[in-house]
C-alpha cells in the first residue's frame, strides 16, 4: 500500500507540473536558438538585456526566451565560456520575435575536442570524447572504460579488465546506462583473462557522460558512479572496419527514410598478450559481441527504438608450467609449478530492449521502455599443480636455486553454473515548464530470476601431508557449495526538477530530486533525496562552482545476498540472507572549474573535494577481480579525498590531461575490526598525452600512464581479520604511434578510390612500455605448519600491437 501511495503522489505531482504549460506571458517575447560555427546548439549561453538585470540562459538545445517592454530599443548581449561575445540590437520591439545567433570560438584553431572540453558544466556529469579511442593504446581492446580510468577519482589496477573503482568503491557500485537502460555483466568472472569485451561498443557511441558522485535522482540506486552512454542515430551511410593483433571490429550506420540503424560486430582475442604472463600455457580466449540499435519514426511525434545485443565469451586454458622470481634483494625467492588439467569457461549474454517515445510538443515528451536480459555462465576447471619454493640468489633464474624450502601439491576443482534473467518495464517523461525549468519523471518494475549452482574446492599437501589436518580426518583447505534460486520484483520511481535562474551575482542551476524503490525479497523501502547547485558568477565567467549532496542507497543484488554457513561436516554452504538491507553512502561534494588561456591555447583546471559517509556496509574481499561479500550489514566507514584534473592543449590542436587524486577510506567491521576499504588507494596519478610529429600533423603519438597506490590484501577465505599487507604500487605506461594515410587534405593516398574514405589510420602500440611487473593478486602456498605464504601474480609484460582502422 505504501508503494501505491508513493506512485500516486508522484503522478499527481507530475500532472500538476504539466498543467502549468498553458500559461503564456503577455509581454513581448524575444526567443531563438544559439549555435556554434558548426551549427551545434550551445547550452548555458548568458543572454542579457544590456543595462538591465533581465536575462536568460539557453537550454541543452540552445534555446532561450526572455521578455522586454514593447516599444523599447533592446540591446542583447550573448556570452558563454570559450566563445567570443555577441551583441544584437533591436531598434524597436513591437511584437514577439525570433532572433537566432551564431557564436564563434575564442580561438580559430580550437578543434572539435577543445569545444567539448570547454562545455559549461553546472551539473555533476562530465562529457567524454569517445573518438579518442580510435588511436588510444589500450590492451583491453578499445573500451570506453580505458579512457574513463584516466579521469580524476577513477582507478584500475588490471589492464586485462574493463572494471574500475571510483573514490574507493568497487565495480558493483557503478551503474552503466545505454540509451537510458541499465546494462548488466556476468557474475562468475574472477579474473581479467575471462572477462572479454565491455558491453559498450565505442564505434556505435555518440555521447558519453560520467559522474564520479553526486549524480541526479534519475540515475539508479548505486553508491559510487554513473556512466551514461547514448548510441548514434546517423543521417547518412557511414561505417568503419578495424583490425589488430588483439582482434577485429566492423560497424555500419545508415539512414533510409524513417529508419536509422547502427550495427557493430566485435571480435577479441588477447592470446598474444596473455603469453607475457608467468604461466606458460595454451591460452585460447575468444570473445564475440554483436549489437544493433534501430530507430523508426512512425510520425514526426512518435518513434520506436530497439537495442539488441548478443555476446559469447569462451575462455580455454591449459597450463603447463610457471616460474616466478620474487622477494627482496636480501631474501630472494623462486617458485616453479608444474600443472596438469584445464579450465573451460563460457559466458553467454543476450539483451533486448524496446522503447516507444512520443513527443506531444517541444515541451513535453514521454514514453515506455521494456527490456530483457539473460546470462548463462559456466565455469569448469580441474587443475593439479606440483610446486617447489626455493631460496635463490639475486639475479638468478629458477634453474640456479640454492636450497629447496617447500615441496607441495595442490588441486583446484570447480563446476559452477549460473543462469540469470532480468526483465523490466518502465515509464519516463520530460516536461519543460519554461526555458529555465525542466521536470523529469519515471517509474520502473523489474523482475529477477536467478538459479545458482556452485561446487568448488581446493586441497593442498606440503611434504606429503594433507592440509589442514583435524585429528584423524583430512579436510580440503577450502570449499564452497550452492544450490539456490531467487525470484523477486523491484519497483522504483523518481521525480526530478532542473531550475535555472539569474541574479545580480550570476547564473544558478539547481537540480533537486527524490528517488524511491522497494524490493519484495527483503521487504525494504528506501527514499533517496538528492540535490546539486551550480553557480557561474557574473564577475568571472571563467569560474564555475558546484556543490552536491544526497543519499545513495545500493539495494543488494544476488551476489551480495550470499552468506557462508558451515554444515555438520565442515563444508561451506551458501545461503541467501533475506534480512540483508541496502548499503548507504551519503555524498558531500564541493568542486569547480576554472578556465583560462595561456600561450594562445585553452586550459581548464577542475577540482573536487568529497566526503562519503558509509552506513550498513556489506563488507567484501577482492581476489583479482572476484568480489566476495560477507552477506551482512555489519560495518560502517567513510571515504574522503580530493580529485584534480588539468586539461588543455599542451600541444596546439591536441588535447591532453593530467589527473591527480588523493584518498583515504576506512571501515569498522562488527565494531571490532578496523581496516582500510578494499579499494583504498592513497594516491592515483594518470596521464593522457597527445602530440604531433614535428612538421607532420598526420603522424601522432598517444601516451597513457598510470601510477597508483597499492591495494589492501587479505588471505583468501579468511576475511579482514587476515589483513596483512598491500599490493605494490601499480605503474604502467602504454604508448601508441598513429599515421593517417588517407582522409582530409594532402593525403598520401589521394586516388579517386581512397577519396571515398573519411580516414585510414595505421598504428603501432607498445603496451607496458617499461616492462614493469605489476602485481594484481597473490598465489597462496601452504607449508607443513599450515602457514600460507603469498607469491605475486604478475600482470602482462611488454607487448607490441599493430592496428589498422578505416572509416568511410
Amino acid at each position: 500500500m505504501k508503494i501505491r501511495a508513493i506512485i500516486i503522489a508522484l503522478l499527481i505531482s507530475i500532472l500538476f507540473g504539466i498543467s502549468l504549460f498553458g500559461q503564456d506571458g503577455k509581454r513581448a517575447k524575444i526567443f531563438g536558438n544559439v549555435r556554434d560555427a558548426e551549427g551545434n546548439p550551445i547550452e548555458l549561453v548568458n543572454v542579457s538585456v544590456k543595462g538591465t538585470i533581465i536575462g536568460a540562459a539557453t537550454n541543452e538545445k540552445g534555446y532561450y526566451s526572455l521578455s522586454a517592454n514593447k516599444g523599447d530599443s533592446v540591446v542583447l548581449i550573448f556570452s558563454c565560456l570559450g566563445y567570443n561575445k555577441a551583441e544584437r540590437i533591436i531598434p524597436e520591439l513591437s511584437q514577439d520575435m525570433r532572433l537566432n545567433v551564431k557564436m564563434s570560438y575564442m580561438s580559430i584553431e580550437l578543434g572539435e575536442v577543445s569545444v567539448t572540453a570547454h562545455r559549461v558544466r553546472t551539473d555533476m556529469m562530465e562529457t567524454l570524447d569517445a573518438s579518442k579511442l580510435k588511436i588510444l593504446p589500450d590492451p583491453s581492446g578499445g573500451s570506453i572504460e580505458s579512457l574513463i580510468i584516466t579521469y580524476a577519482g577513477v582507478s584500475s589496477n588490471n589492464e586485462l579488465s574493463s572494471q574500475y573503482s571510483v573514490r574507493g568503491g568497487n565495480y558493483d557500485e557503478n551503474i552503466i546506462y545505454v540509451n537510458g537502460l541499465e546494462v548488466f555483466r556476468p557474475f562468475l568472472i574472477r579474473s581479467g583473462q575471462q572477462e572479454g569485451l565491455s558491453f559498450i561498443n565505442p564505434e556505435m557511441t555518440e555521447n558519453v557522460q560520467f559522474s564520479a558522485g553526486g549524480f541526479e535522482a534519475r540515475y539508479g540506486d548505486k553508491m559510487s558512479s554513473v556512466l551514461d552512454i547514448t548510441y548514434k542515430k546517423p543521417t547518412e551511410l557511414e561505417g568503419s572496419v578495424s583490425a589488430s593483433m588483439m582482434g577485429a571490429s566492423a560497424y555500419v550506420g545508415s539512414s533510409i527514410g524513417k529508419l536509422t540503424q547502427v550495427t557493430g560486430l566485435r571480435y577479441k582475442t588477447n592470446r598474444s598478450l596473455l603469453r607475457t604472463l608467468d604461466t606458460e600455457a595454451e591460452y585460447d580466449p575468444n570473445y564475440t559481441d554483436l549489437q544493433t540499435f534501430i530507430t523508426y519514426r512512425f510520425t514526426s511525434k512518435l518513434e520506436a527504438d530497439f537495442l539488441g545485443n548478443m555476446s559469447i565469451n569462451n575462455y580455454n586454458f591449459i597450463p603447463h608450467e610457471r616460474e616466478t622470481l620474487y622477494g627482496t634483494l636480501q631474501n630472494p625467492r623462486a617458485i616453479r609449478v608444474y600443472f596438469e588439467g584445464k579450465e573451460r569457461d563460457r559466458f553467454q549474454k543476450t539483451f533486448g530492449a524496446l522503447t516507444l517515445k512520443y513527443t506531444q510538443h517541444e515541451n513535453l515528451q514521454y514514453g515506455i521502455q521494456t527490456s530483457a536480459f539473460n546470462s548463462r555462465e559456466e565455469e569448469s576447471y580441474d587443475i593439479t599443480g606440483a610446486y617447489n619454493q626455493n631460496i635463490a640468489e639475486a639475479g638468478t633464474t629458477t634453474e640456479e636455486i640454492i636450497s629447496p624450502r617447500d615441496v607441495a601439491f595442490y588441486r583446484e576443482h570447480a563446476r559452477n553454473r549460473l543462469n540469470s534473467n532480468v526483465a523490466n518495464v518502465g515509464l519516463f517523461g520530460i516536461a519543460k515548464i519554461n526555458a529555465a525549468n525542466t521536470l523529469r519523471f519515471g517509474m520502473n518494475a523489474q523482475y529477477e530470476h536467478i538459479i545458482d549452482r556452485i561446487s568448488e574446492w581446493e586441497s593442498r599437501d606440503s611434504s606429503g601431508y594433507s592440509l589442514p589436518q583435524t585429528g584423524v580426518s583430512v579436510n580440503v583447505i577450502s570449499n564452497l557449495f550452492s544450490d539456490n534460486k531467487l525470484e523477486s520484483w523491484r519497483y522504483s520511481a523518481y521525480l526530478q526538477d532542473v531550475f535555472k535562474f539569474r541574479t545580480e551575482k550570476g547564473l544558478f542551476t539547481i537540480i533537486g530530486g527524490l528517488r524511491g524503490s522497494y524490493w519484495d525479497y527483503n521487504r525494504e523501502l528506501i527514499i533517496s533525496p538528492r540535490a546539486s547547485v551550480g553557480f557561474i558568477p557574473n564577475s568571472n565567467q571563467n569560474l564555475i562552482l558546484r556543490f552536491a549532496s544526497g543519499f545513495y542507497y545500493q539495494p543488494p543484488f544476488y551476489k551480495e545476498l550470499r552468506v557462508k554457513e558451515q554444515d555438520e561436516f565442515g563444508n561451506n554452504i551458501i545461503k541467501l540472507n533475506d534480512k540483508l538491507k541496502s548499503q548507504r553512502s551519503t555524498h558531500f561534494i564541493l568542486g569547480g572549474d576554472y578556465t583560462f588561456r595561456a600561450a594562445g591555447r585553452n586550459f581548464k583546471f577542475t577540482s573536487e573535494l568529497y566526503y562519503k559517509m558509509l552506513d550498513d556496509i556489506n563488507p567484501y574481499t577482492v581476489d583479482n577481480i572476484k568480489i566476495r561479500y560477507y552477506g551482512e550489514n555489519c560495518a560502517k566507514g567513510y571515504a574522503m579525498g580530493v580529485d584534480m584534473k588539468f586539461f588543455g592543449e599542451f600541444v596546439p590542436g591536441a588535447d591532453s590531461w593530467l589527473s591527480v587524486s588523493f584518498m583515504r577510506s576506512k571501515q569498522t567491521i562488527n565494531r571490532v575490526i578496523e581496516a582500510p576499504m578494499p579499494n583504498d588507494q592513497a594516491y592515483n596519478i594518470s596521464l593522457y598525452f597527445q602530440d604531433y610529429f614535428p612538421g607532420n600533423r598526420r603522424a601522432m603519438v598517444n601516451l597513457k600512464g598510470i601510477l597508483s597506490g597499492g591495494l589492501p590484501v587479505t588471505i583468501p577465505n579468511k576475511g579482514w581479520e587476515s589483513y596483512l599487507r598491500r599490493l605494490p604500487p601499480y605503474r604502467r605506461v602504454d604508448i601508441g604511434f598513429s599515421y593517417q594515410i588517407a582522409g582530409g587534405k594532402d593525403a598520401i593516398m589521394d586516388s579517386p578510390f581512397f577519396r571515398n574514405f573519411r580516414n585510414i589510420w595505421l598504428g603501432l602500440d607498445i603496451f607496458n612500455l617499461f616492462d614493469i611487473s605489476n602485481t594484481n593478486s597473490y598465489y597462496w602456498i601452504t607449508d607443513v605448519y599450515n602457514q600460507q605464504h603469498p607469491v605475486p601474480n604478475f600482470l602482462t609484460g611488454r607487448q607490441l600491437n599493430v592496428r589498422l582502422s578505416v572509416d568511410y
Side-chain angles (χ1 to χ4, degrees):
M1 294 300 293
K2 292 182 179 179
I3 301 303
R4 292 180 180 175
I6 291 174
I7 293 174
I8 291 172
L10 286 175
L11 286 173
I12 292 173
S13 300
I14 292 165
L15 293 174
F16 176 75
I18 295 173
S19 68
L20 300 177
F21 274 48
Q23 301 177 14
D24 296 325
K26 295 181 179 180
R27 301 178 65 188
K29 185 167 67 173
I30 307 171
F31 61 96
N33 293 88
V34 182
R35 298 183 180 275
D36 62 19
E38 281 79 35
N40 301 311
I42 309 174
E43 186 182 7
L44 290 180
V45 175
N46 299 322
V47 185
S48 60
V49 178
K50 190 174 183 180
T52 73
I53 61 171
I54 299 173
T58 57
N59 61 16
E60 68 275 8
K61 295 184 178 180
Y63 177 81
Y64 74 94
S65 175
L66 53 81
S67 299
N69 294 327
K70 292 182 180 180
D72 287 351
S73 175
V74 178
V75 180
L76 294 180
I77 306 295
F78 297 82
S79 62
C80 184
L81 188 64
Y83 296 85
N84 294 312
K85 283 187 178 182
E87 183 176 302
R88 298 293 185 269
I89 301 175
I90 303 173
E92 184 177 352
L93 182 62
S94 58
Q95 59 183 0
D96 293 353
M97 68 174 296
R98 173 181 287 274
L99 179 62
N100 296 328
V101 175
K102 182 175 289 188
M103 299 183 69
S104 61
Y105 309 128
M106 293 183 69
S107 170
I108 59 173
E109 295 181 356
L110 194 62
E112 176 188 356
V113 176
S114 295
V115 175
T116 303
H118 289 84
R119 166 186 174 263
V120 179
R121 182 167 70 100
T122 56
D123 58 17
M124 304 304 293
M125 301 295 290
E126 188 168 7
T127 300
L128 286 76
D129 184 5
S131 66
K132 293 182 184 298
L133 295 171
K134 284 281 186 184
I135 50 179
L136 178 71
D138 177 24
S140 68
S143 64
I144 296 287
E145 293 87 345
S146 65
L147 194 61
I148 288 175
I149 63 173
T150 64
Y151 275 56
V154 187
S155 64
S156 171
N157 68 334
N158 189 336
E159 65 272 6
L160 294 172
S161 172
S162 61
Q163 298 189 24
Y164 53 89
S165 169
V166 179
R167 294 175 175 171
N170 67 40
Y171 185 68
D172 292 339
E173 297 173 16
N174 307 319
I175 192 167
I176 299 177
Y177 287 94
V178 174
N179 292 343
L181 298 156
E182 183 180 357
V183 298
F184 302 90
R185 60 182 292 272
F187 297 94
L188 292 181
I189 287 178
R190 55 189 170 84
S191 69
Q193 294 93 309
Q194 300 172 301
E195 187 173 305
L197 290 158
S198 163
F199 181 94
I200 306 164
N201 188 326
E203 299 285 352
M204 299 170 61
T205 299
E206 179 179 51
N207 186 50
V208 182
Q209 290 191 303
F210 175 77
S211 173
F215 45 89
E216 303 163 14
R218 62 189 173 108
Y219 295 114
D221 296 303
K222 296 287 186 177
M223 294 198 299
S224 288
S225 75
V226 60
L227 176 60
D228 191 359
I229 304 294
T230 304
Y231 277 174
K232 298 176 181 177
K233 293 182 180 180
T235 57
E236 58 183 4
L237 179 65
E238 61 179 51
S240 68
V241 178
S242 63
S244 75
M245 297 171 61
M246 306 286 292
S249 66
Y251 153 78
V252 62
S254 63
S255 177
I256 304 174
K258 298 181 178 182
L259 179 72
T260 65
Q261 66 83 30
V262 288
T263 301
L265 176 64
R266 293 178 292 167
Y267 170 76
K268 173 185 172 183
T269 176
N270 54 4
R271 186 180 297 110
S272 61
L273 193 62
L274 295 179
R275 287 173 180 164
T276 66
L277 298 172
D278 280 351
T279 301
E280 179 185 335
E282 298 175 33
Y283 295 99
D284 185 21
N286 294 281
Y287 316 115
T288 307
D289 178 273
L290 174 65
Q291 291 190 44
T292 186
F293 176 55
I294 302 170
T295 299
Y296 185 81
R297 295 188 66 88
F298 296 97
T299 67
S300 60
K301 295 186 176 183
L302 179 64
E303 73 173 35
D305 299 335
F306 173 76
L307 175 63
N309 167 249
M310 181 175 182
S311 68
I312 300 175
N313 295 348
N314 290 314
Y315 177 70
N316 299 320
F317 171 58
I318 304 177
H320 297 307
E321 184 178 340
R322 166 180 172 168
E323 296 180 357
T324 302
L325 292 170
Y326 64 102
T328 63
L329 291 175
Q330 294 76 25
N331 187 26
R333 291 284 184 267
I335 186 172
R336 172 176 284 179
V337 188
Y338 300 94
F339 297 101
E340 289 185 359
K342 63 183 179 180
E343 176 177 353
R344 296 176 62 88
D345 304 326
R346 181 180 176 88
F347 304 93
Q348 179 176 314
K349 298 182 298 179
T350 54
F351 178 83
L354 179 64
T355 302
L356 289 174
K357 189 186 304 179
Y358 183 73
T359 304
Q360 186 166 327
H361 50 76
E362 65 176 9
N363 291 327
L364 179 61
Q365 182 184 85
Y366 46 85
I368 184 172
Q369 287 183 322
T370 60
S371 68
F373 167 81
N374 172 261
S375 176
R376 297 180 178 272
E377 306 173 34
E378 300 176 4
E379 183 184 47
S380 301
Y381 56 83
D382 202 332
I383 296 175
T384 299
Y387 62 82
N388 57 68
Q389 182 190 204
N390 309 280
I391 301 173
E393 288 184 347
T396 66
T397 67
T398 52
E399 303 289 346
E400 303 169 309
I401 59 177
I402 294 179
S403 61
R405 180 180 176 89
D406 290 298
V407 178
F409 168 91
Y410 80 94
R411 183 178 179 183
E412 294 179 339
H413 171 91
R415 294 292 185 270
N416 299 332
R417 303 289 185 271
L418 189 144
N419 293 336
S420 59
N421 294 278
V422 180
N424 67 60
V425 58
L427 302 172
F428 66 91
I430 304 175
K432 295 183 179 179
I433 309 300
N434 52 51
N437 195 2
T438 302
L439 190 71
R440 290 179 178 266
F441 54 91
M443 56 189 67
N444 185 77
Q446 179 169 294
Y447 171 75
E448 299 161 7
H449 182 241
I450 298 172
I451 300 175
D452 183 25
R453 304 285 186 268
I454 290 179
S455 175
E456 60 182 55
W457 51 264
E458 178 183 358
S459 64
R460 299 182 193 173
D461 73 49
S462 182
S463 301
Y465 291 92
S466 294
L467 300 170
Q469 299 183 58
T470 55
V472 296
S473 64
V474 178
N475 297 329
V476 294
I477 197 167
S478 67
N479 62 16
L480 195 64
F481 301 97
S482 170
D483 186 3
N484 291 308
K485 178 180 178 181
L486 174 65
E487 193 170 4
S488 65
W489 281 90
R490 297 178 194 262
Y491 307 92
S492 63
Y494 69 88
L495 180 65
Q496 174 182 302
D497 191 20
V498 179
F499 185 61
K500 301 174 184 179
F501 63 93
R502 178 180 299 280
T503 69
E504 294 181 357
K505 299 296 183 181
L507 177 66
F508 288 86
T509 301
I510 298 177
I511 304 175
L514 192 66
R515 183 176 189 87
S517 65
Y518 177 79
W519 192 24
D520 67 1
Y521 183 74
N522 63 358
R523 297 176 294 280
E524 181 186 30
L525 172 67
I526 56 176
I527 303 296
S528 303
R530 305 174 188 177
S532 67
V533 179
F535 174 63
I536 304 176
N538 286 333
S539 58
N540 186 357
Q541 294 189 14
N542 292 329
L543 178 66
I544 302 174
L545 301 175
R546 293 183 299 273
F547 175 77
S549 183
F551 291 147
Y552 293 83
Y553 287 92
Q554 181 160 325
F557 205 66
Y558 176 77
K559 186 163 61 174
E560 291 96 315
L561 293 172
R562 299 192 297 188
V563 60
K564 288 193 299 184
E565 297 180 358
Q566 284 196 344
D567 65 10
E568 57 183 318
F569 304 105
N571 297 311
N572 292 310
I573 309 299
I574 291 179
K575 300 294 184 180
L576 301 184
N577 181 7
D578 62 359
K579 305 298 182 183
L580 186 69
K581 302 301 181 182
S582 299
Q583 303 179 82
R584 186 179 71 178
S585 176
T586 306
H587 291 195
F588 301 94
I589 303 171
L590 176 65
D593 302 337
Y594 180 69
T595 304
F596 61 96
R597 289 177 60 79
R601 297 189 290 274
N602 294 290
F603 295 91
K604 181 170 70 173
F605 176 74
T606 298
S607 179
E608 288 189 348
L609 294 165
Y610 65 88
Y611 180 84
K612 299 196 293 187
M613 184 169 60
L614 308 174
D615 299 300
D616 294 327
I617 298 176
N618 183 0
Y620 61 91
T621 58
V622 180
D623 184 18
N624 201 314
I625 64 173
K626 189 175 185 66
I627 301 172
R628 288 196 185 275
Y629 290 91
Y630 279 42
E632 300 175 352
N633 300 112
C634 59
K636 63 180 181 179
Y638 69 89
M640 60 185 297
V642 58
D643 297 330
M644 296 169 286
K645 180 181 173 186
F646 186 48
F647 185 108
E649 292 180 327
F650 300 101
V651 176
D655 278 349
S656 304
W657 58 83
L658 172 68
S659 300
V660 180
S661 299
F662 298 100
M663 181 189 67
R664 183 180 182 182
S665 61
K666 296 287 184 180
Q667 61 180 340
T668 301
I669 304 172
N670 292 321
R671 300 182 180 181
V672 176
I673 301 173
E674 293 190 0
M677 297 292 290
N679 286 290
D680 176 60
Q681 286 181 310
Y683 60 90
N684 186 68
I685 303 171
S686 57
L687 171 69
Y688 178 76
F689 181 77
Q690 295 186 97
D691 196 3
Y692 294 101
F693 280 80
N696 189 344
R697 294 181 68 84
R698 288 185 171 274
M700 292 192 68
V701 59
N702 292 263
L703 183 144
K704 184 176 74 171
I706 296 176
L707 171 63
S708 58
L711 297 173
V713 176
T714 60
I715 297 176
N717 305 305
K718 296 292 186 181
W720 281 101
E721 58 270 21
S722 67
Y723 169 59
L724 297 172
R725 62 173 68 195
R726 287 177 177 265
L727 293 170
Y730 182 80
R731 301 156 295 162
R732 186 179 178 91
V733 175
D734 299 319
I735 191 169
F737 302 92
S738 304
Y739 193 83
Q740 188 182 21
I741 59 179
K745 298 179 180 179
D746 304 321
I748 294 178
M749 297 181 178
D750 198 27
S751 65
F753 173 76
F754 286 103
R755 290 173 190 167
N756 295 317
F757 299 100
R758 288 189 292 130
N759 292 294
I760 299 180
W761 288 93
L762 181 64
L764 172 67
D765 299 325
I766 306 176
F767 301 139
N768 199 355
L769 177 65
F770 300 113
D771 199 26
I772 297 172
S773 296
N774 287 304
T775 303
N776 169 252
S777 60
Y778 286 105
Y779 172 84
W780 294 85
I781 61 175
T782 307
D783 62 21
V784 69
Y785 303 106
N786 200 24
Q787 299 296 313
Q788 298 195 61
H789 305 278
V791 178
N793 290 321
F794 294 124
L795 287 164
T796 59
R798 185 189 294 120
Q799 176 70 23
L800 295 179
N801 179 51
V802 179
R803 52 185 164 78
L804 176 68
S805 176
V806 180
D807 300 328
Y808 61 88

